[in-house]
Amino acid sequence: MSQLLTRAPKGTKDILPSEVYKWDFVEGVIRSVMRDYNYQEIRTPIFEHTELFERGVGDTTDIVQKEMYTFNDKGGRSITLRPEGTAPVVRSVLQNSLYAAALPVKLFYYNNRCYRYEQPQSGRYREFHQFGIEQFGAATPAADAEIIMAAYEVFRRFGLEDTLTLHINTVGCPTCRPIYRAKLIEFLEGHKAELCPTCNERMYKNPMRVFDCKSEICSGIMKNAPYITDHLCEDCETSFTGLKESLVAAELPFKVDPTIVRGLDYYKGTVFEFITSTIGAQGTVCGGGRYDGLIEILGGDPLPGIGFGLGIERLILTLDAAGFPFKEPDTVTLYLGSVGGDIKTDVFITSLAAKIRSSGISVERDLMARSVKAQMKYANKIGAKYAAIVGGDEMTSGKVRLKNMTGGDDIETTFEDIAKLLK
Ligand code: HAM
């Protein structure tokens, strides 16, 4: 039998019932933070026109050059599975004129499936899920601080505030970045022979990405590279200082890290990442920054924007590594079994189960025509709190014994009173 039929594609994962409850729990916490920060949910399609990402994410990025799932649909249009959430949200803000009602526009997305053709490893998948925020209209340091504080608050509610470190930086603006870029290229040219082939390639296209190189030689060289924080224009300096002061005032610990450059082209000004060392090499759980100018690239009038993306898989890995006590889902309250397995009993149990379920009590019943012994074994396996076996005697008397499966006392009751008693 072909493995193609029995194995999910490389880099994808099933989220099994034994994991789903963690996702639900995480979702609840994130939604409560979004409510407290007054962000509204947006859902965009899983695929978009390829051009949106080429223009939006930028054609010098790894995402656009190597990682997109792109195909022609039957109408001959080039379509791409969403590799990230920002460009689609900007497209939607423009298409639906969301900026027209009131500014700032404060949006979040949850469980955004994203697709990148990357080399899979722990914490890095080809299909993954992002929670993210995108905020439009405000270019103040307070807006930058709010975004970072919202991400921090998510971690704080899980007790992860000391597990993740906030790294902040700025990537400058069209005034200061070109001057810095020229200085950085000059520095890199002096080390051309030592830098790896990828960095030699990046040197002219996107020299700041050399800071991202994992090679020991390149990262050693970059320790002496000029940092953008020493070459900011007055505006960038003022807003970066404003952000740092806001974070200090909010008592939110951070580290200024001039090597944080982010892998997407649209950033301008503030960038940041929350990083943990507890889940291996892919320790960036959340990354984001300001992208003023992106909306113009996509055809809109100027409107500043800032946001972040937070990988749900990496968040759950971090929670598991920290031993987070996820509350397991409730097991079924009542198991209804039958003795005899004849049609009459079966039909009776069908209607009884429906009645009890309609009062909001979870019921499991025998669907397999098993022996009483096998049914009790099953009730035990699924963690039923009570089990009742119904047969001719019970149906005649209208009375039934609810066996307490957790060691407590059994309950003798009538069929009518089961729901009331178990509520
Ligand atoms: P990003 O850094 O590419 O930024 O991704 C954000 C987060 O998504 C990462 O920190 C990580 O947790 C998760 N992630 C990324 N790639 C993978 C993968 N292959 N497997 C598992 N998790 C992954 C963005 O996507 C930007 N759109 C963030 C943003 C929003 N910036 C401004 N607004």
Side-chain angles (χ1 to χ4, degrees):
M1 181 76 81
S2 161
Q3 290 222 329
L4 296 180
L5 301 181
T6 53
R7 293 254 178 276
K10 187 170 170 184
T12 68
K13 276 196 320 158
D14 300 314
I15 306 167
L16 299 173
S18 55
E19 283 277 306
V20 164
Y21 73 96
K22 296 182 184 175
W23 287 68
D24 276 353
F25 183 84
V26 165
E27 177 169 359
V29 171
I30 288 176
R31 286 189 183 281
S32 68
V33 175
M34 290 300 89
R35 191 197 52 226
D36 298 346
Y37 274 77
N38 192 32
Y39 281 79
Q40 312 281 315
E41 185 176 4
I42 184 164
R43 298 182 189 183
T44 63
I46 237 166
F47 58 83
E48 299 271 356
H49 295 295
T50 301
E51 209 177 342
L52 174 68
F53 299 113
E54 285 172 350
R55 301 283 296 276
V57 175
D59 49 21
T60 72
T61 60
D62 286 350
I63 293 181
V64 170
Q65 284 188 355
K66 303 190 273 207
E67 296 170 1
M68 294 205 302
Y69 280 86
T70 297
F71 59 95
N72 282 341
D73 70 8
K74 296 212 188 313
R77 299 168 201 91
S78 181
I79 295 292
T80 292
L81 299 185
R82 173 175 62 203
E84 61 97 50
T86 309
V89 170
V90 174
R91 192 265 310 134
S92 179
V93 165
L94 282 176
Q95 180 176 344
N96 299 293
S97 309
L98 296 184
Y99 47 81
L103 291 177
V105 180
K106 296 175 60 169
L107 303 168
F108 80 96
Y109 39 89
Y110 186 76
N111 254 355
N112 248 28
R113 281 168 194 249
C114 297
Y115 299 85
R116 296 184 193 173
Y117 191 80
E118 290 193 270
Q119 207 40 50
Q121 64 179 93
S122 174
R124 190 161 72 196
Y125 312 102
R126 291 182 177 171
E127 179 188 66
F128 60 98
H129 299 72
Q130 280 187 348
F131 149 59
I133 276 186
E134 310 297 346
Q135 191 212 81
F136 301 90
T140 56
D144 296 23
E146 176 171 296
I147 293 286
I148 294 174
M149 285 160 65
Y152 181 81
E153 182 59 14
V154 168
F155 297 129
R156 197 193 64 75
R157 287 199 193 177
F158 288 113
L160 290 178
E161 64 273 28
D162 298 329
T163 306
L164 290 131
T165 314
L166 167 62
H167 297 239
I168 63 167
N169 189 25
T170 166
V171 290
C173 70
T175 307
C176 52
R177 201 186 315 175
I179 302 165
Y180 168 70
R181 194 176 182 274
K183 283 212 162 70
L184 184 58
I185 292 175
E186 198 185 314
F187 169 84
L188 294 171
E189 279 174 336
H191 294 85
K192 227 172 171 354
E194 303 143 78
L195 289 169
C196 74
T198 315
C199 287
N200 263 289
E201 226 179 81
R202 282 172 171 163
M203 187 186 302
Y204 296 105
K205 275 198 234 153
N206 201 341
M208 287 170 83
R209 290 297 310 283
V210 179
F211 281 109
D212 272 350
C213 186
K214 299 280 180 281
S215 123
E216 260 175 44
I217 296 173
C218 297
S219 44
I221 292 169
M222 294 312 279
K223 286 202 174 97
N224 299 314
Y227 286 150
I228 185 139
T229 35
D230 298 323
H231 297 87
L232 296 176
C233 63
E234 211 180 314
D235 282 354
C236 285
E237 185 73 55
T238 309
S239 48
F240 197 47
T241 304
L243 169 64
K244 288 184 283 186
E245 285 174 1
S246 305
L247 294 177
V248 170
E251 295 182 22
L252 206 152
F254 63 88
K255 189 174 157 191
V256 174
D257 180 351
T259 69
I260 296 288
V261 293
R262 311 280 302 129
L264 301 94
D265 277 357
Y266 46 60
Y267 292 112
K268 172 179 170 272
T270 299
V271 288
F272 62 94
E273 290 182 353
F274 283 88
I275 303 174
T276 179
S277 57
T278 60
I279 58 167
Q282 301 303 317
T284 305
V285 179
C286 171
R290 182 160 280 293
Y291 48 82
D292 303 356
L294 174 57
I295 214 156
E296 288 136 278
I297 291 174
L298 299 181
D301 291 335
L303 188 70
I306 180 165
F308 66 72
L310 187 156
I312 312 282
E313 285 85 353
R314 290 188 194 175
L315 174 58
I316 291 178
L317 281 172
T318 310
L319 288 164
D320 282 341
F324 184 80
F326 282 107
K327 188 182 161 299
E328 300 232 359
D330 281 345
T331 51
V332 71
T333 304
L334 176 66
Y335 178 80
L336 276 183
S338 73
V339 60
D342 57 297
I343 290 285
K344 201 170 150 214
T345 321
D346 236 28
V347 169
F348 180 80
I349 291 177
T350 300
S351 93
L352 180 63
K355 266 193 212 120
I356 304 173
R357 284 169 172 159
S358 68
S359 325
I361 289 163
S362 58
V363 175
E364 186 57 272
R365 55 152 307 173
D366 178 45
L367 294 171
M368 310 272 295
R370 280 192 276 226
S371 70
V372 171
K373 192 168 161 215
Q375 290 181 58
M376 289 308 285
K377 212 166 146 191
Y378 176 71
N380 208 19
K381 210 177 208 171
I382 61 172
K385 297 186 182 76
Y386 290 91
I389 300 291
V390 179
D393 290 351
E394 285 78 11
M395 282 157 64
T396 315
S397 68
K399 289 198 183 130
V400 66
R401 173 180 289 274
L402 306 184
K403 183 174 164 47
N404 191 323
M405 305 288 282
T406 56
D409 293 337
D410 293 352
I411 307 171
E412 190 85 44
T413 182
T414 61
F415 289 124
E416 279 71 41
D417 285 345
I418 293 180
K420 213 168 25 177
L421 259 167
L422 296 181
K423 256 233 138 102

